[in-house]
Amino acid sequence: MNFDGEDLSRQALTERLAAEETHVFRECDLTGADFWGASLGGARFESCVLDGADFRKADLDGAVFTGGGGLGAVFTDADLLDAVFTDVDLSSARFGGALMTDAVFSGCRMIGTSLTASRGTGFKVSRCNLMMANLGGCSLRGQFLEGVRFDEADLSGCDFTDAVFSDCRLIGTKVLRAVFAGADLRGADLGEPDDAKLRAFSGATINQTQAAALLLARGLSVV
């Protein structure tokens, strides 16, 4: 079923979406729309307004979101296996309890987004702004992270084992109990070094400039 340019804001849509069909939404206003428990496997959302949309417990396996925005959208307990988000504003969106295995976020604005308590073996992010986001306990193990801003984000308990950072920022991040063993941090702005970061970065690789900054912060000069 195709929805082109329709105003579906604040409507209950679950009963209208047959499980055996693939649904396409193009340039629709879905502000506050109710998709609770909907069958949306393989659905496409193209340049839609999704602010405050409710996708709780929805089946979004393989769904594709391109452009548009979902400010404050709720994906709690949804199935997002292999879902793809490209150039979507997901600021303040909530993904707690969602199954995120192999979900991909590319070029997304995710300021204040909550991904903590999401399920699965890990999702992928690139060129995303995760400033002030909460990723507590998430796994980004072994990933190549390019152009990701983690400024002021909560990365407590995250697993970055063997991850490679390129053109990333970790300024003001919370890293309590985070693991960076084997990670390559040479392509990251580590921000102001503190004891919590030193402990978390144990086993990671840094460059000489980063090492000098860490030592300087503790009153030691490199000559």
Side-chain angles (χ1 to χ4, degrees):
M1 181 179 295
N2 290 357
F3 300 86
D4 290 325
E6 295 189 40
D7 183 353
L8 301 169
S9 57
R10 295 177 176 80
Q11 294 189 31
L13 299 172
T14 301
E15 297 302 322
R16 294 177 57 179
L17 305 173
E20 64 274 10
E21 294 187 32
T22 299
H23 306 287
V24 179
F25 300 83
R26 294 189 181 94
E27 298 183 351
C28 293
D29 185 351
L30 298 167
T31 302
D34 183 2
F35 291 99
W36 193 97
S39 296
L40 290 164
R44 300 185 64 88
F45 295 83
E46 301 174 6
S47 301
C48 293
V49 179
L50 295 162
D51 296 354
D54 185 356
F55 291 97
R56 286 178 296 169
K57 294 185 179 297
D59 175 7
L60 289 159
D61 289 350
V64 177
F65 295 77
T66 306
L71 183 67
V74 182
F75 295 89
T76 305
D77 296 324
D79 286 346
L80 288 161
L81 184 72
D82 294 319
V84 177
F85 295 82
T86 304
D87 299 328
V88 185
D89 187 347
L90 293 167
S91 297
S92 300
R94 289 175 283 163
F95 290 86
L99 179 60
M100 304 282 285
T101 299
D102 293 330
V104 177
F105 299 88
S106 178
C108 294
R109 188 171 187 262
M110 303 174 72
I111 297 174
T113 299
S114 178
L115 294 150
T116 189
S118 57
R119 298 174 291 127
T121 57
F123 52 90
K124 298 177 177 64
V125 291
S126 66
R127 299 183 295 102
C128 291
N129 185 351
L130 283 156
M131 184 176 181
M132 295 185 290
N134 186 349
L135 286 80
C138 291
S139 175
L140 294 165
R141 187 184 184 99
Q143 288 195 30
F144 179 74
L145 300 166
E146 182 177 15
V148 182
R149 292 185 61 178
F150 292 106
D151 297 355
E152 308 294 333
D154 188 348
L155 305 180
S156 300
C158 287
D159 185 1
F160 290 98
T161 301
D162 296 327
V164 177
F165 291 75
S166 175
D167 192 27
C168 293
R169 289 166 53 119
L170 292 162
I171 299 174
T173 53
K174 299 178 182 177
V175 292
L176 183 66
R177 297 186 306 279
V179 178
F180 289 83
D184 186 344
L185 294 168
R186 290 175 293 179
D189 184 340
L190 304 181
E192 188 69 25
D194 55 32
D195 291 340
K197 283 186 176 179
L198 285 178
R199 287 191 293 269
F201 295 160
S202 177
T205 299
I206 59 176
N207 60 37
Q208 291 183 347
T209 301
Q210 292 168 324
L214 292 173
L215 291 171
L216 186 61
R218 274 145 185 77
L220 299 173
S221 298
V222 179
V223 296

